[in-house]
């Protein structure tokens, strides 16, 4: 009795299908990315700045925490506000963190779903931090104390994308428009006083 062996062509096709399946599995299990986007995209000294803390391609997020450090000579923060991502999964408990504008930190921003609900999957904004920009310069933006948990209380591995922001001096044309606006307001107020005095 002879045993037939699979052909080389058949074995090659099986190997190719296996590699394609492995590649599809790896792309489906992409590592989530924690990142920062600024609004407006470029900072200007004297104007407010909002930083959105974003998550991309996460699966079953139930709770998270992070801290963020910055250059306090360039940025001055207020506590974070909750983004729309986690609250899409139900009721949440959010803490905006502790701000120290001397050392340049927003410490332990936290957010968690409440109760036995599944975590949230996808991409979106976790939190927003507003800043005043007192001076021109460069500020690194660095995450620490990062912890993300799924609905089974397991740690979620992340890729952390730190960033920086450059705050520019306002352009002369902008300063001129501001000065003209202030002068116009002062002139209008003086004219009203003169009219009221008659």
């Amino acid at each position: 009795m002879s045993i037939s062996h699979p052909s080389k062509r058949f074995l090659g096709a099986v190997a190719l299908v296996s590699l394609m399946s492995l590649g599809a599995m790896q792309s489906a299990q992409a590592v989530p990315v924690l990142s920062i986007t600024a609004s407006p995209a470029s900072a200007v000294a004297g104007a407010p700045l909002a930083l959105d803390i974003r998550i991309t391609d996460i699966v079953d997020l139930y709770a998270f925490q992070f801290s963020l450090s910055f250059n306090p000579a360039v940025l001055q923060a207020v506590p974070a506000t909750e983004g729309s991502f986690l609250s899409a999964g139900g009721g949440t408990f959010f803490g905006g963190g502790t701000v120290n504008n001397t050392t340049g930190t927003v410490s332990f921003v936290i957010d968690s779903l409440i109760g036995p609900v599944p975590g949230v999957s996808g991409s979106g904004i976790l939190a927003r931090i507003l800043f005043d920009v007192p001076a021109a310069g460069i500020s690194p933006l660095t995450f620490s104390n990062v912890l993300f948990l799924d609905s089974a209380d397991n740690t979620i591995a992340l890729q952390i994308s730190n960033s920086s922001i450059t705050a520019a001096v306002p352009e002369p044309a902008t300063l001129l428009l501001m000065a003209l606006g202030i002068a116009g307001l002062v002139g209008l107020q003086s004219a009203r006083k003169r009219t009221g005095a008659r």
Side-chain angles (χ1 to χ4, degrees), residues 25-87:
M25 285 173 58
Q26 287 176 341
S27 64
Q29 297 172 351
V31 176
V33 179
L34 178 66
S35 63
I36 303 167
T37 56
S39 178
S42 56
V44 176
L49 175 71
L51 295 182
D52 287 335
I53 311 303
R54 303 185 64 89
I55 193 69
T56 306
D57 296 330
I58 200 160
V59 175
D60 192 30
L61 176 63
Y62 189 88
F64 67 84
Q65 74 173 34
F66 68 85
S67 299
L68 185 71
S69 62
F70 54 91
N71 179 353
V74 177
L75 300 175
Q76 295 281 288
V78 299
T81 56
E82 186 177 22
S84 60
F85 182 72
L86 196 61
S87 60

Side-chain angles (χ1 to χ4, degrees), residues 12-158:
V14 169
L16 180 60
V17 168
S18 298
L19 285 173
M20 290 171 62
S21 299
L22 181 61
M25 285 173 58
Q26 287 176 341
S27 64
Q29 297 172 351
V31 176
V33 179
L34 178 66
S35 63
I36 303 167
T37 56
S39 178
S42 56
V44 176
L49 175 71
L51 295 182
D52 287 335
I53 311 303
R54 303 185 64 89
I55 193 69
T56 306
D57 296 330
I58 200 160
V59 175
D60 192 30
L61 176 63
Y62 189 88
F64 67 84
Q65 74 173 34
F66 68 85
S67 299
L68 185 71
S69 62
F70 54 91
N71 179 353
V74 177
L75 300 175
Q76 295 281 288
V78 299
T81 56
E82 186 177 22
S84 60
F85 182 72
L86 196 61
S87 60
T92 58
F93 175 80
F94 180 80
T98 302
V99 174
N100 187 326
N101 280 318
T102 302
T103 59
T105 54
V106 181
S107 300
F108 294 104
V109 176
I110 61 169
D111 203 3
S112 176
L113 288 165
I114 299 170
V117 295
V120 181
S121 299
S123 305
I125 298 172
L126 300 173
R128 172 171 279 197
I129 307 174
L130 298 177
F131 290 87
D132 291 324
V133 186
I138 298 173
S139 174
L141 300 168
T142 307
F143 288 109
S144 61
N145 303 312
V146 175
L147 179 63
F148 280 60
L149 300 173
D150 66 18
S151 58
D153 208 27
N154 297 312
T155 302
I156 301 173
L158 297 175

